[in-house]
Amino acid sequence: MGEHILNYDSFVKMITRHAARLGVDVSFGKYVNVRTPDGEKSAGYFIQPDDVDSLLPYARKPIKKKRGSDPDQVDLIKGRGIIRVATKCQKTQWIHTLAHEYCHMLQWFRDDPLYTGEPEDNDYQLEFQTELEALALMSKYKLPLSMAQRWKDSRSYLARLAKNLDINTEE
């Protein structure tokens, strides 16, 4: 097998194509955060498609934005899923977020028990596993970024999450 070496554009294209095959659109916000459909601010998110409607060919028609609406709010296309990532940060950061959300999509697709389980019971474990998968993915494709910095950012994210969930990770 040959080495997998991708630049950022090729990595984004690979994820976008794979996501499209699974009924998921990839979208980028030009701000520091994107808003989830619930209105929460986030660096990125994944919403799975409806199982039945996502394969309909007309489901890809774009929805026109209403004048005066929040420019960073995305109208979901009925039946399709979405990976949405904020990009007003260092490229290495949003590429990491994209890899993370892509891994959530893969977990959904393979019916990963951590992904399909009760969220309040396994939020930390799911995010921990997703970070490991995202780091492995970025390493596999030898992206031009510092894996040491990506590991540091992952540890920082997981520490903040543990604090927010009031989880003791020192055990």
Side-chain angles (χ1 to χ4, degrees):
M1 282 187 159
E3 277 193 16
H4 299 288
I5 300 174
L6 294 180
N7 62 30
Y8 294 131
D9 291 342
S10 298
F11 186 70
V12 170
K13 186 182 277 187
M14 178 201 69
I15 288 175
T16 302
R17 285 181 174 169
H18 190 206
R21 288 184 193 118
L22 298 179
V24 175
D25 296 313
V26 177
S27 171
F28 300 96
K30 58 185 176 182
Y31 301 100
V32 175
N33 292 299
V34 290
R35 290 201 184 268
T36 67
D38 301 0
E40 299 289 320
K41 289 182 179 180
S42 179
Y45 61 88
F46 163 67
I47 298 174
Q48 66 193 43
D50 293 345
D51 294 333
V52 178
D53 292 337
S54 64
L55 301 177
L56 297 175
Y58 61 81
R60 287 196 60 82
K61 290 182 182 172
I63 297 176
K64 291 194 177 186
K65 300 295 285 173
K66 295 181 183 93
R67 181 169 258 155
S69 65
D70 183 349
D72 198 42
Q73 188 71 33
V74 169
D75 293 324
L76 296 177
I77 299 171
K78 180 165 175 38
R80 294 193 62 81
I82 190 165
I83 292 174
R84 181 104 167 112
V85 175
T87 61
K88 191 170 184 180
C89 58
Q90 290 181 345
K91 189 171 239 182
T92 55
Q93 287 178 283
W94 70 257
I95 287 289
H96 187 153
T97 301
L98 176 63
H100 178 100
E101 299 308 328
Y102 175 70
C103 288
H104 276 313
M105 183 191 76
L106 296 175
Q107 292 162 343
W108 158 75
F109 182 72
R110 68 177 184 249
D111 290 324
D112 187 307
L114 272 177
Y115 183 82
T116 59
E118 292 300 318
E120 59 275 355
D121 295 339
N122 68 4
D123 270 350
Y124 183 82
Q125 281 303 97
L126 173 64
E127 292 303 304
F128 180 83
Q129 182 61 38
T130 305
E131 278 299 299
L132 290 178
E133 288 182 37
L135 291 163
L137 182 73
M138 291 182 290
S139 182
K140 173 184 175 181
Y141 289 109
K142 300 182 184 334
L143 293 175
L145 45 72
S146 164
M147 287 307 295
Q149 184 62 48
R150 296 298 94 225
W151 277 98
K152 184 178 176 184
D153 287 353
S154 284
R155 285 191 303 273
S156 176
Y157 165 68
L158 292 168
R160 280 191 318 274
L161 181 63
K163 185 177 178 183
N164 289 343
L165 295 173
D166 199 25
I167 293 173
N168 182 3
T169 58
E170 299 297 318
E171 296 173 0

